[in-house]
Structures are given as C-alpha cells and as structure tokens.
Amino acid sequence: MATPTETPPARMTSTRAWVTYLSKVELPVLANTLRRINELTDSNNSTVNQLAGVILNDAQLTSQVLRLSNTVFYNQTRAQVGTVSRAITLIGFDAVKSMTISSLIVDSLLARSESPHLLKCLARALHAAVQARCLLPKRNEQALEEVFIGALLMNIGELAFWSCETDQARELEALLLKGEAIIDAQKTVLDTTFTEITRGLVEAWSLGPFIKDVVAAGQPNSKAASLVRHSVEMARLSEKGWRGAEMDRVLEALAGEIGESPATVRDQVRINADEASKIAISLGIPQVTKLMPGNRTIEDIPVAPKTDPVLQLEILRQLTHSLTDKPDINEVCQLVVDGIQRAVGMQRVALLMVDRTGAQLVPKKVTGPGTEPWREQFVLQRDGTGTLGCLLPHKACAIYRPDKLSETPEFDPWICQVPALTGPLWAKGRLVGMFYADNADVNAVPDQDQLTAFSHFVQHAQLCLTLLSH
C-alpha cells in the first residue's frame, strides 16, 4: 500500500470522512489528475497539448494509451498509431482522454493493492464501460466516451475503498465472508455505503455533470445516463450467467433504450463481453479476464504480443525522423521502448541508465503489467555483481537464457528466470545504459527475428546518444 501523506483517523464514521480520507490521504494524485483531465475540452490546441503533456509524463501511461489506440475498439481505421499526438489527431481528443482516464484508474489502484475484491470491481467496471460504449447508438465521439467513463466510474467509491488496506476493509471482508447482506454490511462497518461515497467523490473530484447524473438518486435525466446504469447492472448480473429473470428485465430495458429487440441485445452483449477481455489485455490487466463473462478465458488469450513487422517499420521511420532534427533523447527512448513492446512482441520493457555515482544502472522507463516494483528495485551493478548481474549485456544485443543457478529477485518472480532480450548503450567506450525486455510467465525464447528487430530499435537509441555526445 502507498504510504499515506498524513495519519488517517482511527475510524471513518461518515460519508464525508471517507471522501476526505480517500481524496487527501490515500489517492490525492489520482484525484487531482482526474480533476485536471476532466476540466480539459477540445476547444483549442492548448488543451490538446495539456492532455498530451499528462500522458507523456508517464512512460507506462504513454504505452497503454498507444496500445489502446491500435485496438479496433478505438481505431476502426486500423491505421497504425505510434505517437500520442498522432493518436489525438487520428482517433480524437475525447477517445484519448477516455483511454487516459481508464489507464490512470487501473494503474493507480492496482499499484496499491491486488485484492480479489478490487480485481472483481475493476473487471465489472471495465466490462460495463465497454458494454455502454458498444450499445450506445452511434452519435458522436464525445457521447461514446462519456458513457464509457460514466460506467467505469459509476462505482469509484467501491474501487477506491478496496484499493486501501484499512482495518475497516478487513472488517467488511469478514462480514461478507459470513454471508452478510452487502448493503447492511457496508452500513455496519463504514457507517455509510459505497454509493454515497461514490457520490461524494464525484463531487469532490469534479468528475462532471454526466457522471453526477449517473450516480444521483432517482431517475436519470438522460437516456445515456440510464444506459450506463443498466450496463453496470447487466455487468454485475452477467457474472452469474446470461439467463434469469433479472437479466431478462435489464436486457429488455436496454433494448428499449437503443431501439433493438431483447434477442438482438442478448447476442450483442455477449460479443461486447469478449471485447472487454481484449481491452483488459491492452490495459495490462489480463488477470481480470477470468472474472469477465466473455467467451474467452485467461488461458485462451495469448498474453504476449506478437511481432508486427509493419508497425516495426512505422516506428523505425518515426525514429529516423526524430534523429534528423535536434534529437530529444527522452522522445527517442520512449519510441524505442514502445517499439520493443508493441512491434517486437515483448510484454515488459525497461530502459536503465547509469546513475550519478556511475556504479549502478537504474530504471528510467518501464512499461508492462507487473512492472511497478521495477521503478524502485530493478537496479544492476555496473560491475556485474549481485543477483541481477547475469542480465548485464556485453558487446551487443543478445538473448538472455536463464540457467538453473540463477537467483530470483524478491521484487519480481520472473526476472532472471525467463528468457529475455538485453541490449547495451555506450558512450565513449563506457556502458551507460541498457534495454531489457521479457514476456513474464510466457516462457518462450525470443526468436532470431525478434532479436534483429530489438537490435534495430536499440541502435537508434545508441545513435541518438552518439549524436548528443559530439
């Protein structure tokens, strides 16, 4: 769990107390970032640049937005997207804003906890968001993204609560295990409900009038808000199957809202559920797919991306263009990291550079599921000693092959235990950095084509360093 910025009260006993605690103690960065993003509109270029700035400040967020930008769900033109500015131009401001909010929610909450309750809530929220967006009669981009984010955040109070390891969370979990009714258990332990906490957070975090309408008591003011509510309810019911009186009632309501027959809607929501699993993969949370009612299971979905020669060529062109002007090392390295992950077909990627002492290589960019601990702990001694010394690259890019004597670092179960790609960066004959890439639990040895493509990307980063050193 993230270290609180102030000592929390011994016990929260009201909606206001929970909203204050979650906003100011547990999740202030998320609250402020969501507030800032929600205030942006696409009225002028400055806000586009502001959104791009939010994304580019975080390598993990940048990679997730670019992965989502290349899914059919968002990009039906199938044109390859390799930069954030290209994503905003091709797919639209609101779609990229939607991807950004989705990625922030997932990363911020899972960095704090991976409790079963949180994973279940995330799976349900993402499933409902995909359903709402797919079911909405096509109007405009803004409406599509509005219902997606509305469904994703409709239960933000519950998501925020389960991301925090409090005594009251443990008490509530114990009551639920005993079979206590959900609402009664919430009132007993929290002195409020998740619904009330959500309404408070929507207000405190300035999440906008549409979401306020979605979570308000009473009837919604628009068909779109009603569609979101029914999508969330349908996602909850689908966890127990697609049949039953309650499910039939919700599907009939959805059918009335979008002007289709209940039978058509029933077929469509099953297709949408499968789409939700794909989006979960793109967001870097494949573990929640088994909690979704789609036709696939986590075992059916290949977690590791495949090599994409067309995308390789596109990103390499962008790199070449970046090097013709005054090269920006940060931009070049971000393109290289993204190219290794998306085009070479490696799930997790890190760029490490020498620290000020010259003794260690420390993380500068990391991306991929399960890499949050890398930011602080993925450190190599430049002399090759220590647990991670076996990963240190030598003269050229190579395939790392683990042996039986390799130790496993405490912060990651796969590093040093699975095949990986490594590539050195040099400056004036000294090793100053390296790229590392693996596929976590997908224990497949990278092939020669992947090594060659990986080498091409690393060479562009090396060229940038060489140009800047002269």
Side-chain angles (χ1 to χ4, degrees):
M1 187 184 91
T3 303
T5 56
E6 59 186 76
T7 303
R11 192 172 187 86
M12 271 65 72
T13 57
S14 69
T15 302
R16 177 177 292 182
W18 277 110
V19 170
T20 300
Y21 175 63
L22 293 170
S23 301
K24 296 185 177 180
V25 179
E26 294 283 1
L27 299 165
V29 175
L30 177 62
N32 291 332
T33 307
L34 287 179
R35 188 183 295 114
R36 180 185 169 198
I37 291 173
N38 195 63
E39 290 169 353
L40 300 178
T41 67
D42 55 349
S43 58
N44 55 55
N45 287 332
S46 65
T47 55
V48 170
N49 293 335
Q50 288 168 0
L51 177 59
V54 170
I55 297 168
L56 291 170
N57 279 335
D58 186 325
Q60 174 90 349
L61 180 59
T62 300
S63 292
Q64 287 190 344
V65 166
L66 291 176
R67 280 201 304 275
L68 289 167
S69 297
N70 286 285
T71 63
V72 177
F73 183 73
Y74 279 108
N75 181 359
Q76 295 186 354
T77 69
R78 298 182 184 271
Q80 291 293 340
V81 174
T83 64
V84 171
S85 57
R86 170 71 169 156
I88 295 174
T89 301
L90 181 67
I91 301 170
F93 181 93
D94 288 293
V96 175
K97 176 180 168 183
S98 169
M99 298 175 208
T100 304
I101 292 175
S102 306
S103 299
L104 283 169
I105 292 290
V106 168
D107 287 349
S108 300
L109 300 184
L110 285 184
R112 307 173 56 78
S113 171
E114 286 203 20
S115 78
H117 294 288
L118 177 59
L119 290 175
K120 185 175 182 180
C121 289
L122 273 175
R124 184 182 297 168
L126 186 58
H127 179 202
V130 171
Q131 291 285 1
R133 190 181 189 275
C134 290
L135 289 172
L136 184 73
K138 298 297 183 283
R139 298 175 188 172
N140 57 56
E141 178 199 329
Q142 185 174 2
L144 290 173
E145 305 316 328
E146 201 169 51
V147 297
F148 182 92
I149 295 302
L152 187 72
L153 299 181
M154 185 173 165
N155 291 311
I156 187 62
E158 185 175 6
L159 284 165
F161 174 84
W162 287 121
S163 75
C164 306
E165 297 175 3
T166 62
D167 289 340
Q168 282 165 281
R170 287 184 280 274
E171 289 176 35
L172 180 57
E173 183 175 32
L175 276 185
L176 295 176
L177 286 172
K178 291 179 181 178
E180 182 89 13
I182 294 175
I183 300 299
D184 291 341
Q186 291 172 26
K187 290 178 178 178
T188 298
V189 176
L190 314 182
D191 291 296
T192 184
T193 63
F194 289 148
T195 299
E196 291 302 321
I197 295 173
T198 290
R199 289 170 182 159
L201 291 179
V202 167
E203 189 72 41
W205 295 4
S206 304
L207 296 182
F210 180 76
I211 297 179
K212 193 171 181 179
D213 184 23
V214 167
V215 303
Q219 294 297 313
N221 293 319
S222 69
K223 284 188 175 181
S226 180
L227 174 71
V228 168
R229 292 189 188 185
H230 285 128
S231 295
V232 172
E233 186 179 3
M234 184 265 293
R236 177 181 63 81
L237 293 172
S238 69
E239 292 162 12
K240 297 181 180 178
W242 295 109
R243 297 289 174 181
E246 286 186 291
M247 178 63 80
D248 291 344
R249 177 183 56 79
V250 173
L251 293 179
E252 284 182 17
L254 285 168
E257 286 164 351
I258 66 175
E260 296 284 356
S261 70
T264 299
V265 172
R266 189 184 299 276
D267 290 339
Q268 184 61 47
V269 296
R270 293 192 182 201
I271 296 170
N272 298 344
D274 190 54
E275 191 65 44
S277 293
K278 297 177 186 176
I279 296 300
I281 296 295
S282 294
L283 278 168
I285 47 172
Q287 64 268 42
V288 306
T289 58
K290 63 183 177 181
L291 303 174
M292 293 178 173
N295 296 323
R296 299 180 176 200
T297 65
I298 191 170
E299 291 80 12
D300 297 327
I301 301 172
V303 175
K306 295 180 180 179
T307 306
D308 187 336
V310 175
L311 184 56
Q312 283 179 34
L313 189 59
E314 174 61 28
I315 297 178
L316 287 170
R317 281 201 198 100
Q318 293 173 34
L319 281 165
T320 301
H321 178 73
S322 297
L323 293 172
T324 56
D325 268 335
K326 294 179 181 178
D328 181 323
I329 187 65
N330 188 58
E331 179 185 347
V332 168
C333 286
Q334 182 58 53
L335 280 169
V336 170
V337 166
D338 189 55
I340 293 169
Q341 184 183 48
R342 294 172 52 231
V344 178
M346 303 302 292
Q347 188 179 3
R348 310 189 303 172
V349 184
L351 165 64
L352 299 94
M353 297 295 291
V354 69
D355 66 359
R356 291 181 180 179
T357 70
Q360 297 179 325
L361 298 178
V362 298
K364 293 299 180 184
K365 294 181 182 294
V366 301
T367 187
T371 57
E372 192 61 33
W374 292 14
R375 298 180 188 278
E376 300 294 333
Q377 300 181 67
F378 194 178
V379 177
L380 275 74
Q381 301 301 318
R382 228 168 116 249
D383 62 5
T385 61
T387 302
L388 303 180
C390 58
L391 301 178
L392 204 67
H394 296 290
K395 294 182 179 180
C397 295
I399 299 173
Y400 165 76
R401 301 172 189 269
D403 60 43
K404 294 180 181 180
L405 299 177
S406 299
E407 295 182 52
T408 304
E410 292 183 2
F411 66 90
D412 190 283
W414 295 301
I415 288 180
C416 298
Q417 301 303 307
V418 296
L421 293 170
T422 62
L425 292 174
W426 303 90
K428 298 179 180 179
R430 295 174 63 247
L431 180 71
V432 296
M434 65 173 284
F435 286 93
Y436 170 90
D438 70 25
N439 273 322
D441 57 341
V442 180
N443 194 17
V445 179
D447 60 27
Q448 189 60 44
D449 287 342
Q450 287 178 302
L451 177 59
T452 300
F454 175 80
S455 300
H456 287 157
F457 283 111
V458 174
Q459 285 166 12
H460 277 76
Q462 179 64 65
L463 180 57
C464 183
L465 273 178
T466 303
L467 289 172
L468 291 173
S469 65
H470 289 305

